[in-house]
Amino acid sequence: MTAGSQPPNDTPEYGSTRLRHPTRPLLRIPQGVTETTSPIFAESRFPPIADLSMATGKPALGERIIVRGRVIDEDERPVPNTMIEIWQANAAGRYDHPGDQHDAPLDPNFHGEGRVFTDTDGWYQFVSVKPGSYPWGNHYNAWRPNHIHYSLFGTGFGQRLITQMYFPGDPLLALDPIYLSVPDPAARERLIARFDLDITAPARALGYRFDFVLRGRNATPIEQA
């Protein structure tokens, strides 16, 4: 990967990395068959949840969005049958989780959890609502930009990519230590989705394109810490 395209484990401006980044040399542990070939993440075992905006059968509050993209390798070859987990705050900027005590309202029709799989050409798609910003206590008057979390699984426990997707034009990006922890500005741009009118559903939802590149100089920045 290109130097500066991935965030360092210890980013002082991102406060929690001081507590959870490695402080001693890493130990290489040989991987066995279990780590490299299992489990099998298949739709038959993990049913997709592709519409987060209708998880309860009733519409969630907020601006409905469609996110579509591809998972590819460094040679732009599609990566099929990849399980993608999605989690996010609701439109008011609150997670449906007991650890989130932000005084923004919860939405009983939005749980903020989804799961999709790539098809044979590496494409995925899901429907949700645009997440809101929220305060996060990293520093004085700190607010997270609108974002969606992703976890991509490969063919074993040792193959997992965790990252975040941001939205174009968000003024909080220039102030966010997590986004800015990626040293290379060009690599940071790969974390911002692109508005796409072809994905947009008329009178229903705005569309965004967000691709994942698993390796190489154009690799998607991942969470290291």
Side-chain angles (χ1 to χ4, degrees):
M1 296 181 183
T2 304
S5 66
Q6 299 297 321
N9 287 325
D10 183 14
T11 302
E13 293 79 11
Y14 180 8
S16 64
T17 64
R18 293 193 295 267
L19 303 175
R20 54 193 174 94
H21 79 89
T23 57
R24 297 181 180 181
L26 300 180
L27 299 177
R28 183 174 294 278
I29 300 175
Q31 294 184 347
V33 174
T34 299
E35 290 78 23
T36 58
T37 64
S38 63
I40 297 174
F41 300 108
E43 293 188 45
S44 59
R45 300 180 61 190
F46 300 91
I49 306 171
D51 190 345
L52 285 68
S53 73
M54 290 291 292
T56 68
K58 297 180 179 179
L61 298 174
E63 177 187 331
R64 190 183 291 112
I65 61 173
I66 301 169
V67 181
R68 178 173 170 81
R70 294 183 82 202
V71 179
I72 58 176
D73 66 14
E74 67 270 36
D75 296 318
E76 300 187 2
R77 294 174 299 193
V79 182
N81 307 316
T82 296
M83 185 172 78
I84 304 175
E85 292 182 329
I86 307 140
W87 68 99
Q88 62 167 92
N90 66 19
R94 185 168 176 181
Y95 290 93
D96 185 10
H97 188 280
D100 188 348
Q101 295 300 309
H102 180 206
D103 64 357
L106 287 169
D107 182 350
N109 296 315
F110 188 78
H111 301 307
E113 300 174 340
R115 180 172 53 241
V116 293
F117 289 80
T118 57
D119 64 18
T120 55
D121 291 320
W123 289 98
Y124 76 93
Q125 180 170 306
F126 66 92
V127 179
S128 189
V129 297
K130 188 175 182 180
S133 304
Y134 57 83
W136 65 301
N138 183 77
H139 54 277
Y140 173 72
N141 206 11
W143 290 77
R144 291 297 332 273
N146 312 110
H147 63 280
I148 296 177
H149 298 267
Y150 292 90
S151 172
L152 278 67
F153 287 90
T155 57
F157 283 117
Q159 298 176 340
R160 189 184 184 198
L161 180 155
I162 301 175
T163 193
Q164 298 182 24
M165 181 197 88
Y166 300 96
F167 291 84
D170 193 327
L172 291 174
L173 287 173
L175 306 172
D176 185 60
I178 298 180
Y179 173 72
L180 295 176
S181 69
V182 179
D184 180 12
R188 277 183 231 144
E189 289 293 317
R190 296 197 288 272
L191 294 175
I192 302 176
R194 304 192 311 273
F195 171 73
D196 192 317
L197 192 62
D198 290 333
I199 297 172
T200 297
R204 176 171 170 77
L206 294 180
Y208 292 90
R209 173 78 181 265
F210 189 67
D211 297 332
F212 299 91
V213 181
L214 300 187
R215 292 176 295 273
R217 67 178 59 191
N218 294 319
T220 300
I222 65 174
E223 294 187 13
Q224 304 278 11

